[in-house]
Amino acid sequence: MKVRLSDYDEVWVRRFQEEADFLMNLFGGEIVNIEHFGSTSVPGLMAKPVIDMICIVNQIDRVDRFNATMHSLGYDVAGDWGIPGRRLFRKGGENRTHHIHFYQAGNPHIQRHLVFRDYLRSHPQEAERYGRFKEELAQRYEHTSEYSPAKKAFVTEMEQLALAWYREAQH
């Protein structure tokens, strides 16, 4: 898939909410909460225009019952996609619009993603630094298969800063 970076667009919040409402309806009482995360959830941050969502459920195994329905609605059913305890659905094919990550309540990936989001929202200078880095990578790499791994070390470092900020805020 080609890397497509866009300036922040306020429509991303609406697209998140529309999809969240749809999923809450479809999954009934299985979903406890839905959170918008990733770059499209940080005002002002340049992003690939793909809405990242976390759906928190009580029982992750129950999500599998919806695979056929999700597939029939045009979602890519990706299973755990390399992260045990996750279920991933992708919407939009080559022009992807949403990545929907299901996690069982208490999964540590939930906190990691949300703390990183909140850190970037609370530290605009760090969000700007992250945006510049992504822009540099997008100029070097044409495909997400190269772009995504190239940003991993930088993101991991920022996540560590975010977790330290979070821990300090808790005391």
Side-chain angles (χ1 to χ4, degrees):
M1 200 165 92
K2 288 193 181 252
V3 175
R4 314 172 278 145
L5 283 185
S6 301
D7 288 332
Y8 180 79
D9 190 340
E10 290 181 9
V11 77
W12 294 338
V13 174
R14 183 175 47 85
R15 287 189 184 143
F16 161 76
Q17 195 55 59
E18 289 169 355
E19 192 72 12
D21 292 345
F22 173 76
L23 292 168
M24 287 296 264
N25 244 359
L26 181 66
F27 280 82
E30 297 296 334
I31 296 174
V32 176
N33 191 24
I34 301 179
E35 293 279 350
H36 188 186
F37 78 106
S39 295
T40 61
S41 71
V42 179
L45 183 58
M46 177 175 282
K48 290 181 294 182
V50 179
I51 310 301
D52 281 303
M53 305 174 68
I54 291 178
C55 295
I56 302 168
V57 296
N58 284 319
Q59 295 291 321
I60 194 67
D61 296 339
R62 291 185 186 161
V63 174
D64 298 331
R65 298 177 189 167
F66 293 86
N67 286 351
T69 301
M70 292 293 279
H71 181 74
S72 74
L73 293 168
Y75 293 81
D76 225 6
V77 179
D80 69 8
W81 198 253
I83 298 178
R86 174 179 73 172
R87 300 297 185 274
L88 176 65
F89 297 92
R90 297 174 301 201
K91 182 179 181 180
E94 280 299 306
N95 292 312
R96 196 143 316 134
T97 60
H98 295 77
H99 287 159
I100 304 160
H101 307 251
F102 281 80
Y103 290 106
Q104 186 166 306
N107 186 302
H109 288 290
I110 297 168
Q111 182 185 39
R112 177 177 64 85
H113 289 306
L114 299 183
V115 165
F116 186 45
R117 174 201 66 193
D118 293 347
Y119 177 76
L120 291 174
R121 285 177 174 175
S122 300
H123 297 82
Q125 71 284 1
E126 288 291 271
E128 190 178 312
R129 183 167 73 99
Y130 183 36
R132 283 192 310 270
F133 180 71
K134 292 195 309 180
E135 203 168 10
E136 290 167 16
L137 289 181
Q139 289 170 7
R140 277 197 303 216
Y141 303 108
E142 188 177 346
H143 299 281
T144 56
S145 59
E146 302 159 323
Y147 169 87
S148 296
K151 92 180 178 169
K152 188 167 181 45
F154 185 91
V155 170
T156 300
E157 179 185 311
M158 282 198 104
E159 283 178 344
Q160 293 309 308
L161 293 171
L163 288 167
W165 164 80
Y166 176 77
R167 282 192 295 270
E168 188 169 306
Q170 299 304 303
H171 292 111

